[in-house]
């Protein structure tokens, strides 16, 4: 007979996976208790997910209670009383981060990755036909990736992304991605579902997954560009338009630099890696300044006026967003966190000065690592393992 898992069943599955992401390892009984489900209900979901190799069983007694590394002896199936975790034995997702300058790839298991580890770096741009170059280099990398058990490819992309339509609408720093069908391009190499995810949303989801309880924040990432993403009540903010968090394209009065978006004076042109280096070179009257030079210079000379002005301008945009959105927590990721801590301290004070909540409550800005791989796993689980639209499944069971 045809068996269609109910929407309720799918929500239960998702809740169980979320709980397991939080706990890392848990028994059937612990999961049932944490979720307020009966043990048979939780047990049935666990069995289905084991069958699909989404979960695996581990025997912690063999490893003295420490988180075991996956090896055939520790992975046992179908034995009650054993501990469960998300499958970490085989890469089930392929993560691609298509950055403004560089693209890199990682095979991802369904477990929450401890840190980002990317491989096969190659240039995202270049030549008259960057899309052809990119496809060629991706194909070369693919030869070295084990794709046998892939559920899908999750692709982090910059710019304005319509995730529902799986399409890049506008990419100020990587215009070629607007014109090509990235999904078909990737599918010519890996014939599996491909999901496009906006890069800062990926970071926000990853931060949330790696820090259970962080449910309300604005994430601002600094790098080749500057972008943001918003998480409210544990969920990524979705507006009526497929655009949000575009803090980098807030104009700064008196700034005449041209931005990739076509406007003049965007904050991104000042506080992106390239923008900061340009200002640093101008202030020190020397060309070819590196990020390491800048870091050393700040350590020695503190926050000079040119840098203070730039950070203050970024803080105005961030504080404006906090005031409008009703948030009090800012997570800063990327290049600014690699500079001496005085930079984040300066930015943080300037954000507080501009936020209304700080007049009587507390506003926090904290530096955090980029957790893009974790974010791509979160998207893969939500949209490929337990999608909202459930495909019909033929089964002899009821
Ligand atoms: Zn712009």
């Amino acid at each position: 007979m045809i068996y269609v898992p109910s929407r309720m069943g799918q929500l239960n599955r998702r809740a169980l996976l979320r709980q397991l992401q939080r706990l890392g390892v848990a028994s059937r009984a612990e999961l049932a208790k944490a979720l307020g489900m009966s043990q048979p209900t939780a047990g049935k979901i666990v069995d289905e997910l084991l069958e699909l190799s989404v979960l695996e069983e581990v025997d912690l007694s063999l490893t003295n209670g420490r988180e075991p590394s996956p090896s055939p002896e520790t992975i046992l199936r179908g034995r009650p009383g054993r501990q469960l975790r998300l499958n970490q034995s085989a890469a089930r997702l392929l993560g691609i981060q298509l950055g403004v300058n560089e693209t890199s790839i990682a095979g991802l298991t369904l477990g929450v990755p401890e840190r980002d580890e990317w491989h096969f770096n190659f240039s995202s741009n270049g030549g008259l036909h960057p899309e052809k170059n990119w496809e060629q280099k991706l194909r070369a990398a693919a030869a070295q990736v084990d794709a046998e058990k892939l559920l899908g490819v999750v692709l982090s992309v910059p710019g304005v992304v319509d995730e529902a339509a799986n399409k890049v609408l506008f990419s100020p720093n990587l215009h070629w991605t607007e014109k090509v069908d990235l999904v078909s391009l990737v599918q010519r190499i890996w014939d599996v579902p491909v999901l496009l995810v906006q890069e800062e949303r990926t970071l926000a989801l990853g931060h949330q997954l790696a820090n259970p309880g962080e449910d309300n924040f604005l994430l601002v990432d600094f790098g080749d560009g500057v972008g943001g993403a918003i998480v409210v009540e544990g969920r990524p903010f979705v507006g009526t338009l497929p655009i949000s968090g575009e803090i980098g394209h807030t104009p700064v009065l008196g700034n005449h630099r041209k931005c990739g978006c076509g406007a003049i004076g965007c904050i991104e042109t000042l506080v992106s890696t390239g923008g900061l280096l340009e200002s640093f070179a101008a202030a020190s009257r020397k060309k070819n300044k590196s990020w390491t030079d800048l870091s050393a210079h700040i350590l020695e000379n503190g926050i000079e006026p040119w840098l203070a002005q730039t950070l203050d301008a970024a803080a105005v945009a961030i504080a404006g967003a906090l005031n409008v959105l009703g948030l009090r927590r800012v997570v800063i990721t990327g290049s600014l966190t690699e500079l001496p801590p005085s930079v984040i301290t300066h930015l943080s004070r300037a954000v507080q000065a501009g936020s209304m909540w700080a007049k009587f409550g507390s506003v926090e800005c904290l530096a955090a690592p980029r957790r893009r791989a974790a974010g791509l796993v979160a998207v893969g689980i939500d949209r490929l393992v337990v999608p909202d639209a459930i495909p019909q499944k033929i089964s002899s069971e009821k």
Side-chain angles (χ1 to χ4, degrees):
M1 79 180 65
I2 293 180
Y3 163 63
V4 184
S6 66
R7 172 147 174 83
M8 194 60 208
Q10 204 68 337
L11 289 175
N12 281 340
R13 279 178 168 203
R14 193 173 279 187
L16 188 138
L17 290 173
R18 287 256 158 78
Q19 195 62 35
L20 207 46
Q21 282 170 338
R22 237 168 259 146
L23 297 171
V25 179
S27 67
R28 285 173 164 80
E30 283 165 343
L31 285 170
K33 194 176 167 204
L35 293 163
M37 285 177 195
S38 71
Q39 286 216 29
T41 304
K44 185 167 173 280
I45 297 173
V46 164
D47 288 338
E48 284 169 4
L49 294 172
L50 281 169
E51 190 61 36
L52 295 168
S53 299
V54 170
L55 301 185
E56 63 187 3
E57 293 192 301
V58 287
D59 189 344
L60 290 183
S61 66
L62 296 177
T63 57
N64 301 323
R66 284 206 325 270
E67 172 93 355
S69 57
S71 70
E73 311 86 72
T74 58
I75 298 155
L76 300 161
R77 299 187 45 162
R79 302 270 295 271
R82 303 215 180 252
Q83 300 278 303
L84 301 151
R85 69 174 181 194
L86 283 143
N87 192 328
Q88 291 170 33
S89 303
R92 305 299 310 278
L93 298 168
L94 185 75
I96 303 177
Q97 56 171 341
L98 172 49
V100 169
N101 288 313
E102 248 190 5
T103 294
S104 45
I105 296 174
L108 302 169
T109 72
L110 299 177
V112 181
E114 288 281 325
R115 64 189 71 80
D116 274 29
E117 276 181 50
W118 297 92
H119 310 283
F120 314 111
N121 298 337
F122 56 86
S123 164
S124 300
N125 245 319
L128 275 177
H129 300 283
E131 71 285 358
K132 284 188 183 152
N133 280 337
W134 194 75
E135 183 176 349
Q136 221 168 45
K137 288 170 190 156
L138 196 63
R139 198 175 287 280
Q144 299 175 65
V145 172
D146 176 14
E148 216 169 282
K149 291 183 175 159
L150 285 187
L151 286 168
V153 174
V154 207
L155 174 57
S156 151
V157 281
V160 179
V161 183
D162 186 340
E163 292 181 5
N166 233 2
K167 193 175 169 1
V168 175
L169 298 177
F170 182 60
S171 194
N173 301 309
L174 215 52
H175 284 294
W176 68 263
T177 59
E178 300 156 4
K179 296 171 196 106
V180 297
D181 181 352
L182 277 173
V183 171
S184 334
L185 193 159
V186 174
Q187 279 177 334
R188 285 203 286 273
I189 303 173
W190 292 280
D191 189 16
V192 290
V194 174
L195 302 176
L196 299 193
V197 198
Q198 206 279 334
E199 63 176 6
E200 278 83 22
R201 278 168 67 90
T202 315
L203 292 175
L205 288 167
H207 180 78
Q208 200 195 1
L209 189 58
N211 300 275
E214 286 252 30
D215 286 340
N216 295 285
F217 60 90
L218 166 70
L219 180 141
V220 188
D221 183 63
F222 295 86
D224 301 321
V226 176
I230 302 140
V231 170
V232 180
E233 305 266 319
R235 289 170 171 276
F237 171 80
V238 182
T240 49
L241 300 177
I243 184 171
S244 62
E246 289 292 351
I247 276 185
H249 300 282
T250 309
V252 176
L253 294 179
N255 172 26
H256 300 297
R257 288 185 189 170
K258 266 191 184 164
C259 182
C261 75
I264 305 277
C266 294
I267 181 65
E268 176 171 294
T269 66
L270 294 172
V271 78
S272 63
T273 316
L276 282 172
L277 288 179
E278 188 182 331
S279 305
F280 178 39
S284 58
R285 297 211 187 91
K286 280 180 196 153
K287 279 183 181 171
N288 301 324
K289 286 289 187 184
S290 73
W291 200 245
T292 323
D293 294 337
L294 176 59
S295 199
H297 185 84
I298 295 170
L299 265 186
E300 206 171 304
N301 302 284
I303 310 282
E304 291 179 329
W306 68 268
L307 180 56
Q309 275 171 21
T310 293
L311 294 172
D312 291 347
V316 165
I318 294 172
L322 296 184
N323 290 341
V324 170
L325 293 166
L327 289 172
R328 58 168 213 85
R329 197 164 173 79
V330 186
V331 176
I332 307 283
T333 58
S335 55
L336 283 193
T337 68
E338 296 156 13
L339 294 173
S342 56
V343 170
I344 300 292
T345 308
H346 184 102
L347 181 74
S348 182
R349 286 199 187 122
V351 168
Q352 283 158 353
S355 2
M356 200 146 160
W357 189 258
K359 312 291 176 229
F360 54 94
S362 84
V363 167
E364 293 163 322
C365 268
L366 61 134
R370 281 180 177 144
R371 303 295 300 263
R372 187 162 281 137
L376 292 178
V377 170
V379 172
I381 286 186
D382 271 6
R383 292 182 52 197
L384 295 171
V385 177
V386 279
D388 277 328
I390 306 151
Q392 292 204 340
K393 174 183 156 190
I394 310 288
S395 168
S396 56
E397 301 151 9
K398 202 183 161 216

